[in-house]
């Protein structure tokens, strides 16, 4: 069953942490809701073991999406590797502002089914909705919804990783979230000269320089001599 460890405690996965986050910072947040048996942080994610399931689920409900060291935490019951996972549908969410957070997007999708996961990466993200929910209705009704002053773009995600530069929306660059160019051509990832050359398709193989004057005169002299010696047609 998701959330239970071999030690009999309720195990919580905590993701999207800043690399600055430490155990002494994270542990007190969960202790507000019950007894914390164990707390570990590994780079940008960690695990919290709570003694009571009800208290653990209350902590998840209140702490998921809370900003810590400038990043919204992701909290959910840790899934057992042997436990069967609920089938979900992955939905791409784009054209978001830098101020849009995961809890806002999660709230919009909640009325269409159980939101298993919601991750926002800068100005785009992904929502994993249980396949038994109204997935098509969510895409149809939420596409174009104004969020923080911008029309949100919602569509079914076609793949986990793209084969060409850019990820997620096939029409947008993953560096800046805008259309019209691939990530390798993004002005955020290259200097102004290189970007200008790419955009205006400057020829990478310029024509060779003209021959020196003495060689040019020699070539022209041979050409004129051939013209004089060529038989005249009458």
């Amino acid at each position: 069953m998701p959330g239970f460890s071999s030690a009999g405690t309720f195990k919580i996965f905590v993701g999207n942490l800043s690399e600055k986050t430490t155990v002494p910072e994270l542990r007190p947040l969960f202790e507000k809701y019950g007894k914390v048996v164990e707390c570990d942080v590994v780079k940008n994610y960690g695990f919290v073991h709570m003694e009571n399931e009800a208290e653990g689920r209350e902590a998840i409900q209140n702490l998921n999406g809370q900003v810590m060291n400038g990043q919204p935490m992701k909290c959910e019951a840790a899934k057992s590797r042997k436990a069967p996972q609920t089938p979900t549908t992955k939905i791409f969410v784009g054209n978001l502002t830098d101020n849009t957070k995961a809890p806002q997007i999660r709230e919009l999708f909640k009325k269409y089914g159980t939101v298993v996961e919601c991750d926002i990466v800068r100005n785009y993200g992904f929502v994993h909705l249980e396949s038994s929910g109204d997935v098509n209705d969510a895409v149809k009704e939420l596409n174009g919804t104004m969020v923080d002053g911008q029309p949100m773009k919602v569509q079914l995600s076609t793949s986990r990783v793209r084969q060409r530069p850019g990820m997620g929306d096939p029409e947008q660059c993953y560096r800046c979230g805008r259309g019209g160019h691939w990530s390798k051509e993004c002005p955020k990832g290259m200097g102004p000269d290189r970007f200008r050359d790419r955009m205006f398709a400057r020829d990478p193989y310029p024509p060779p320089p003209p021959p020196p004057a003495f060689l040019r005169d020699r070539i022209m002299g041979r050409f004129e001599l051939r013209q004089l010696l060529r038989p005249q047609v009458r």
Side-chain angles (χ1 to χ4, degrees):
M1 184 176 179
F4 285 96
S5 68
S6 58
T9 57
F10 187 73
K11 187 177 180 181
I12 302 170
F13 170 79
V14 185
N16 197 40
L17 298 177
S18 164
E19 294 187 2
K20 299 177 182 179
T21 302
T22 62
V23 170
E25 290 178 290
L26 186 64
R27 188 180 188 116
L29 297 178
F30 287 85
E31 287 179 334
K32 294 177 182 178
Y33 303 97
K35 184 177 180 180
V36 175
V37 178
E38 188 178 341
C39 179
D40 299 302
V41 174
V42 184
K43 205 168 185 180
N44 56 354
Y45 68 92
F47 294 95
V48 176
H49 296 253
M50 296 192 70
E51 191 174 62
N52 182 280
E53 180 186 0
E55 293 172 347
R57 293 196 181 279
E58 184 183 3
I60 290 173
Q61 185 176 358
N62 287 280
L63 295 176
N64 186 47
Q66 180 169 317
V67 177
M68 185 176 189
N69 290 328
Q71 294 186 194
M73 286 192 302
K74 174 185 172 184
C75 301
E76 63 180 16
K79 296 180 177 65
S80 170
R81 292 184 180 182
K82 297 181 180 179
Q85 295 185 359
T86 304
T88 61
T89 300
K90 188 177 181 182
I91 302 171
F92 171 81
V93 183
N95 198 39
L96 305 176
T97 72
D98 290 341
N99 297 323
T100 305
K101 305 301 180 186
Q104 294 174 255
I105 302 303
R106 179 183 285 269
E107 193 65 29
L108 293 174
F109 281 86
K110 276 173 64 175
K111 69 177 183 178
Y112 299 98
T114 301
V115 179
V116 177
E117 191 175 338
C118 179
D119 296 309
I120 302 300
V121 185
R122 209 160 191 178
N123 50 8
Y124 70 92
F126 297 95
V127 175
H128 295 257
L129 197 66
E130 277 193 3
S131 298
S132 58
D134 300 324
V135 176
N136 291 331
D137 288 345
V139 173
K140 182 179 178 181
E141 295 179 16
L142 293 179
N143 186 43
T145 298
M146 298 297 290
V147 177
D148 291 329
Q150 290 188 189
M152 180 172 63
K153 183 168 185 177
V154 180
Q155 65 184 43
L156 293 177
S157 179
T158 55
S159 62
R160 291 185 178 179
V161 180
R162 294 186 56 205
Q163 298 302 314
R164 290 187 288 178
M167 294 180 67
D169 186 353
E171 299 174 6
Q172 292 180 335
C173 164
Y174 75 81
R175 285 182 183 272
C176 67
R178 300 183 182 278
H181 60 269
W182 293 112
S183 61
K184 65 180 180 181
E185 299 169 344
C186 181
K188 286 190 176 182
M190 61 179 69
D193 293 337
R194 185 181 171 196
F195 177 67
R196 185 173 60 250
D197 293 348
R198 286 287 184 90
M199 294 302 292
F200 293 98
R202 180 181 294 179
D203 187 358
Y205 303 104
F214 75 91
L215 184 58
R216 184 170 61 247
D217 294 342
R218 184 179 299 176
I219 293 172
M220 291 303 297
R222 289 178 181 175
F223 176 76
E224 292 172 356
L225 181 60
R226 287 199 195 99
Q227 290 294 101
L228 291 173
L229 296 177
R230 179 178 295 176
Q232 300 294 323
V233 179
R234 301 195 181 197

